[in-house]
Amino acid sequence: MEFLINSLLLLMLVATVFAIVRLKRLMIGVMLMGFFSLLSANIFMVLDAVDVAFTEAAVGAGVSTIFFLAALAIVGRTSKPQNATRTFVPLAAVIITGALLVYASFDMPYFGSHDAPAHNHVVPRYLNDSPNEVGPPNIVTSVLASYRGYDTLGEVGVVFTAFIGVFLLLGAGTRKSGVERPAPPNVQAESMRQKVVLREVSDLLIAPVLIFALYVQWHGDFGPGGGFQAGVIFASGVILYALIYGIVPAQKVFPPRKLAYFPGIGFLLYALVGVVSMMRGGNFLDYGVLVHDPLHGQHYGILIIELGVGITVAAVMINIFFSLSERSL
Amino acid sequence: MIEQLPAIQLLLTLLAAPICSMLRNGDHAWRLATAATWLSTVVAIMLLIQVWDGGVISYQMGGWPPPWGIEVRIDELNALVLLLVTLFGSLVITALRESLRGVMRHQRQSLYYTTFLLCFAALIGITITADAFNVFVFLEVSSLSTYALIARGRDRRALTASFRYLIMGTIGATFILIAIGFLYMVTGTLNMQDLSERLPAHWDNRVIQASLAFFTVGIALKVAVFPLHYWLPNAYTYAPKATTAFLAATATKVSLYVMIRFLFDVYGIEFAFEKMQLSTILVPLSIAGILIASLVAIFQNDAKRLLAWSSVAQLSYMVLGLALLNASGITAAISHMFNHAMMKAGLFLALAAMIYRVNSSKLHDLAGIGRTMPLTTGAFAVMGVGLIGVPMTAGFVSKWYLISGTLDKGWLPLAALLIVSSLMAVVYIGKIIDVAYFKPAPPQHADVREAPLSMLIPCWIFALLTIYFGLDTRITAGLAGRVAQSYLGVS
Amino acid sequence: MIAGLFNYWIVIVLMMAGLYIVMSSGHLVKKIVGLNIFQTAVFILFISMGKIAGGTAPIIDSAITLYSNPLTHVLILTAIVVGVATTALGLAIAVRIHEAYDTVEEDEITAMDAQSLHEENTASLAAESDK
């Protein structure tokens, strides 16, 4: 049954991708890409990767699609037909690469097999010992935040870098900093505000979305979720508000100039946990030394770094959305 | 304290970056950035001293032992790369202040320094890590910051160059991710040393063979190995002036380091070169790269683009050295990595100082600059001579090893080709020198003054280092030779 | 064998379709769409290799004995974040390109760039011949 659902979803993915390849209208292409992400999230769910499914749904189908739409609002929604010379070389390259991959696939451990090397070298320790070494029942959280916490710091670094890059290129979402603009001629937002159903539903949704984000933030130890998902969901709540009521009211609640500090604050919070553990005689990001009892130390360490992740991600996503959508005004 | 050095090496700049982003004043941001990078250089020197006698420093992030946690591992090879990144990066960032002033608003300057610091920290992260996936993470931090830096160039073509680089760089990084996934699929580990121990049992596994192919293509995109160098000339040409110096010194060199680390350590020489015969692809490509890129460089009329094409050729020297697979060749590759980073950074920096005054990198605008800016041009000439490979300069050392590497193989025609390519370097560097000294300055540049000291001093440090490393080869060829021995001794 | 490798083959098709969009499309935003699809396909590759038949999500529960591989999940969480970061920066650059060139079609941009390069070269030649 599992396999059947999985296969069906995969075939739907293939159909979606081919539709995207053939489409001229980018707007629909982007919507389909969001759909593609949502389908992938379903597959991740079927394949037991609940945290990944959660993230893919929030990021791929949510925030990332919104970024695309914001960009399309600026650059136009249709693409020119491709000229024929562009198709041959890519096609050849893709066929060669694909053939190499198919060739390799015959030596891959079969899907779902128990004795695949991937499950039997490093992973057993995570499964068997992490409840006693790190604590959280959600092993993904243990590995993400503690065993491979250094990677996750790098991941926050990537998000932070993207923020700085967008900020450097597009500005902070206040094009003329300090100058209060008149209400923007944002046709899209205006028309959205007039749609009663949309507005009412959003009004109902925004508060629960934000509360849900906080739940996801603090519940990541036990179930799927954690700082990253929480940050993205929180940001989606704010973006939803901005879409319905316009950017300006949203910026009143979250002034971009102040918000621009938060990615750095979250990043620093994360790294400083590591510095504190160094000062207490442990290695960088060794939460075990934070307090007297190592398991408690792990608990506090993970809690704080997840908070750092959440702050950075939420602030970055909101900021990038502001920066992109300001340009279309 | 001393055992925490590997973490401190990364943290100095990684922590400075977010703080820097919060500063409103560009000068303060510059002070913070220079302090962090120079301290980082001191740490790199301390680490180099520690591993000088073949020692290896292992540091467990989060206190988790490998392969469960992420290990940081410093040996002679990456200690040298650390010195390269920190020392040359610091020199460039010191010179950056003057070149940003007046071009950018204060807050933008802070963001610019932040991006610089992030790139700097990420390059250190790539260099020190012993975890395959961690390489990917930091590679992306450094790439994203690089795209942002390039896109800030004045010409609008900087944007397209940056975008093109983003597309190709992301494809490259994703290829590397696929390669790492395949490695994990077959071995169940991500730690490099663990991988190298577990891989020999799987040499006949097609997944591992495909992994090698994907890794090689992916990293070749990042290193700009011919013919995947497509993004490099425009990226270097249109990036902001001093930024090019930083990129030329560090980004491609660190990618080359990753290439060495994976091909020689993770996959292993026997698998990558003997079983999979990687040399049969890399040698012809690098020869073509050397000749074609040098030839293209000769015909450029923009000094920055000329030097960019020269970089493509010089990177091919390094790949050729590796692919020769003998002691001299590998020594040449590693020492040229260091020497070229130094000379090219210096050349681009001197050029940045000239552009700072004449606002153009076109050759005809640089006419007569040898008289109006004698000190800057002097430094440029010294490093140019180094790049050609004249004795008593750093460039000579690595080229000497490269040519003896080809002779050791008995490939006489190839040695001849390398000499021809050096002559081509004489032509393209000569072109700039000729314009600078022997052409009259255009009237509108009559009142051009010498570059400000804050740019001039780093330029001359680069120039003096070019001579110093031409005379004292203990750190470059000496260390590289030992690394080469260790690789060839094992196999 | 077909059941055992089906996931991987589909993933390969998806990856290549994504890569094809990146390389063949002339519209800069569509290129980024392609990158997204390419990367998402790679994510499915990783998650597929982490699945254990009959396993469950790796959240410890005393009633369960078989869990799927948590490590691949962690890696892909990180990779998703990297993906969205790249997308955001790519779109920002595309927006700036639109402001600078008034188009995001690669062919038109290339033509405009070639034009400016040609003009510069002509100017260089003129400056040379002045002397």
Side-chain angles (χ1 to χ4, degrees), chain B residues 447-458:
Chain B
D447 56 342
V448 165
R449 284 170 299 126
E450 190 53 76
L453 273 184
S454 65
M455 298 182 93
L456 200 55
I457 293 172

Side-chain angles (χ1 to χ4, degrees), chain A residues 15-30:
Chain A
T16 316
V17 164
F18 280 96
I20 298 176
V21 172
R22 298 187 59 83
L23 268 174
K24 300 271 177 297
R25 296 181 61 188
L26 254 173
M27 190 70 174
I28 301 174
V30 166

Side-chain angles (χ1 to χ4, degrees), chain B residues 3 15 82 119 151 156 173 278 329-330 343 446 456 475:
Chain B
E3 65 272 13
L15 284 173
L82 276 182
C119 192
R156 67 178 180 181
L278 216 51
I330 298 173
M343 296 182 295
L456 200 55
I475 293 181

Side-chain angles (χ1 to χ4, degrees), chain A residues 216-264:
Chain A
V216 172
Q217 172 79 48
W218 303 116
H219 195 257
D221 286 11
F222 307 99
F228 187 73
Q229 291 92 334
V232 175
I233 292 171
F234 190 87
S236 341
V238 176
I239 291 172
L240 185 61
Y241 181 79
L243 284 176
I244 302 297
Y245 291 96
I247 304 284
V248 176
Q251 288 187 340
K252 283 229 172 69
V253 188
F254 297 95
R257 298 172 122 250
K258 297 215 174 75
L259 200 62
Y261 287 111
F262 283 87

